[in-house]
Amino acid sequence: MTPPKIAIIGGKSSDSLAYWKHQGGSLDLHEGSAQVALREAGLFDQFMAVARPEGEVLKIYEPNGNLLLDESTGQGERRPDSFNGRPEVDRVQLRDMLIDSLSPGTIHWGRKLSTVKTTAVGLDSVYDLHFADGTTETEFSLVVGADGTWSRVRPLLSDTRPQFSGINGVDVKLSNIDAVDAKLSKRVGLGMCLTLGSNTTILSQRNGDGCVRSYGFMRLTEDWARTCGIDWSRPAEAKKQFLDLYYRDFDQDSKDLILKADDESVIPRPMYMLPVGHKWPHRAGLTLIGDAAHVMAPFAGVGVNVAMEDALHLARSLVACRDVCAKTAVKTHERHLSNAVRDYEEAMFVRAEAYAKDTWMYLDLFFHERGGHAMCEHFANEKQQQQGQQQGQQTGVPEM
Ligand SMILES: Cc1cc2nc3c(=O)[nH]c(=O)nc-3n(C[C@H](O)[C@H](O)[C@H](O)COP(=O)(O)OP(=O)(O)OC[C@H]3O[C@@H](n4cnc5c(N)ncnc54)[C@H](O)[C@@H]3O)c2cc1C
């Protein structure tokens, strides 16, 4: 059997390796999703060799510096058990591990997709890819859009565009924090440190390379970066102005996580989401995974996990299809391929909807008028519910 020609668009294929070396923060990979994908790819041991289980800890401060929760010392109530088993890994390490596992030449670097066009070959449709450099690749039986928030593949399947989530702010990095400021380093701890004010947040995360990445996020308008009057071309002044405007009631340590950041630029970052329950009618030969299918704001911390879960389920469907095709007539292969993709999509729509609902719930907790108290209460309630369910399972008494 001739294998179907499959193209995966994205997965960093439009970036150069050198650019990406400087990108992105730490990720926690979850047991039931990303870790399963790594196991099936035979990469779990490699992942565990670089993973940081010690980074699975959270601290929550009030803007005045009062510590509400510190999972490393047991102050406040720990998050429910469902948050366990999620070791941290730097994006660059994860990416290198995934790329190194592929045969050389699998990724075509620097090919930016402009459009996908369909042509008929016999009774079946196939797809041609047109790239920004003027080149074309032809006759793909399946095109998988893994090209993120502003996917060029999505418009062939869905008219829906990502919508502004209401959250905007800045993203900065403080390198080598232990050497630069030991007190700040202690403030952040080994994992994630949140300083939660009324609708205004500083989210800081330690990375394996010794830097701390911080996000100053709040409820703002989509065009805020252009209209707020901050001169982004002068990063040092921009950070001061930003903090003076929005973080006056935050303590100096939390502000220093932004002030002492050493990036050459300060990046305003509006957050976008596709609507909860985004889906499309199945179309043979085309599909989406990851942010292209269901971009979510990062407040449930699931985007990469869901993207890897998508990849896992699509791969399983395609492998099952290959096995069926090996036993059937060639003329039915396109139909089997289409059914395999449809199976992946139907299950993915259900999963993505649940994750998107969670994301909105966490967004409201991150930007709550009662700040960190609302999030701590949420964790306590969830924990109580989970304990109740576990007790119910042990005694056989159903939860009311
Ligand atoms: C600030 C922030 C913090 C986050 N924190 C977390 C977290 O802690 N945990 C978590 O699980 N998730 C987190 N996320 C979400 C996570 O980053 C995304 O969900 C994840 O990267 C999605 O992966 P993806 O491959 O689908 O898309 P992307 O990572 O966006 O990759 C898409 C790729 O496609 C390429 N591309 C785009 N257009 C084209 C084109 N025309 N032709 C060819 N290639 C193209 C892009 O260059 C890119 O390399 C965070 C997101 C943000 C913004």
Side-chain angles (χ1 to χ4, degrees):
M1 172 203 154
T2 319
K5 203 170 159 189
I6 299 177
I8 301 170
I9 309 297
K12 301 292 171 198
S13 51
S14 75
D15 308 331
S16 77
L17 262 173
Y19 170 76
W20 219 83
K21 282 279 174 203
H22 303 284
Q23 285 291 297
S26 185
L27 298 164
D28 56 338
L29 297 193
H30 301 183
E31 258 174 354
S33 51
Q35 290 186 32
V36 183
L38 290 172
R39 275 182 205 280
E40 291 200 19
L43 295 171
F44 187 72
D45 292 343
Q46 258 176 275
F47 162 64
M48 285 311 286
V50 292
R52 288 176 287 111
E54 72 278 10
E56 287 182 65
V57 283
L58 175 68
K59 287 173 119 178
I60 300 181
Y61 286 90
E62 291 186 274
N64 63 8
N66 181 39
L67 183 58
L68 294 175
L69 172 80
D70 182 355
E71 291 184 327
S72 55
T73 62
Q75 175 172 343
E77 187 130 20
R78 254 197 86 85
R79 284 170 293 174
D81 290 349
S82 54
F83 283 85
N84 296 342
R86 299 177 171 188
E88 294 281 334
V89 65
D90 283 10
R91 281 179 194 245
V92 172
Q93 287 174 312
L94 177 64
R95 172 189 185 272
D96 287 350
M97 197 176 81
L98 294 171
I99 289 176
D100 290 348
S101 73
L102 299 173
S103 311
T106 307
I107 301 179
H108 295 240
W109 294 104
R111 306 289 297 278
K112 186 169 183 186
L113 182 78
S114 300
T115 51
V116 181
K117 289 192 178 145
T118 179
T119 50
V121 173
L123 289 177
D124 299 315
S125 291
V126 290
Y127 295 89
D128 297 344
L129 308 177
H130 297 263
F131 294 95
D133 60 6
T135 57
T136 307
E137 301 280 350
T138 59
E139 297 194 8
F140 288 90
S141 303
L142 176 62
V143 177
V144 180
D147 50 344
T149 309
W150 305 110
S151 169
R152 292 289 177 116
V153 181
R154 191 194 303 120
L156 281 93
L157 291 167
S158 160
D159 291 334
T160 310
R161 282 176 63 78
Q163 296 155 8
F164 177 59
S165 68
I167 303 302
N168 211 332
V170 301
D171 168 1
V172 294
K173 177 169 70 79
L174 201 170
S175 307
N176 204 3
I177 192 168
D178 289 349
V180 171
D181 192 325
K183 185 167 162 245
L184 267 193
S185 172
K186 207 169 157 213
R187 158 97 177 201
V188 174
L190 293 177
M192 175 135 75
C193 168
L194 306 177
T195 309
L196 300 177
S198 180
N199 295 307
T200 307
T201 293
I202 296 179
L203 186 165
S204 302
Q205 220 182 356
R206 183 179 293 272
N207 285 240
D209 65 0
C211 85
V212 165
R213 195 167 273 278
S214 293
Y215 306 91
F217 283 148
M218 67 203 87
R219 293 187 194 270
L220 291 165
T221 57
E222 186 175 10
D223 63 356
W224 162 78
R226 261 188 305 112
T227 56
C228 63
I230 297 176
D231 179 359
W232 301 105
S233 67
R234 299 162 66 209
E237 287 76 9
K239 284 186 290 189
K240 279 198 197 105
Q241 263 183 294
F242 175 72
L243 292 167
D244 286 348
L245 277 171
Y246 305 107
Y247 288 87
R248 249 167 300 173
D249 58 341
F250 278 55
D251 72 334
Q252 195 55 42
D253 281 350
S254 60
K255 289 196 275 201
D256 278 349
L257 286 163
I258 289 179
L259 268 183
K260 294 190 176 181
D262 50 275
D263 325 58
E264 282 160 17
S265 55
V266 179
I267 307 166
R269 222 185 246 292
M271 295 286 157
Y272 290 88
M273 285 193 57
L274 279 161
V276 175
H278 174 243
K279 53 177 80 165
W280 55 88
H282 173 69
R283 180 171 171 184
L286 290 173
T287 196
L288 305 172
I289 63 174
D291 282 7
H294 44 58
V295 60
M296 299 167 203
F299 301 105
V302 291
V304 166
N305 288 280
V306 195
M308 290 178 70
E309 200 174 356
D310 291 349
L312 167 73
H313 287 279
L314 181 58
R316 279 180 180 166
S317 280
L318 294 178
V319 168
C321 170
R322 181 193 61 192
D323 296 345
V324 170
C325 286
K327 297 178 200 144
T328 56
V330 170
K331 64 180 184 197
T332 62
H333 288 180
E334 293 298 330
R335 185 163 48 80
H336 288 307
L337 181 62
S338 174
N339 287 343
V341 172
R342 192 198 303 267
D343 286 349
Y344 149 74
E345 285 170 347
E346 283 174 4
M348 179 270 287
F349 291 146
V350 176
R351 275 198 319 273
E353 180 168 355
Y355 285 121
K357 281 183 183 158
D358 263 11
T359 295
W360 277 111
M361 182 196 71
Y362 277 106
L363 187 151
D364 285 337
L365 287 170
F366 267 89
F367 303 97
H368 201 279
E369 56 190 15
R370 290 192 301 115
H373 292 279
M375 194 173 287
C376 290
E377 282 163 23
H378 166 78
F379 289 143
N381 289 339
E382 267 218 338
K383 209 167 164 176
Q384 233 177 2
Q385 270 177 20
Q386 282 182 13
Q387 280 165 353
Q389 278 162 3
Q390 279 160 5
Q391 275 163 13
Q393 278 161 7
Q394 276 161 14
T395 57
V397 178
E399 270 293 290
M400 296 304 283

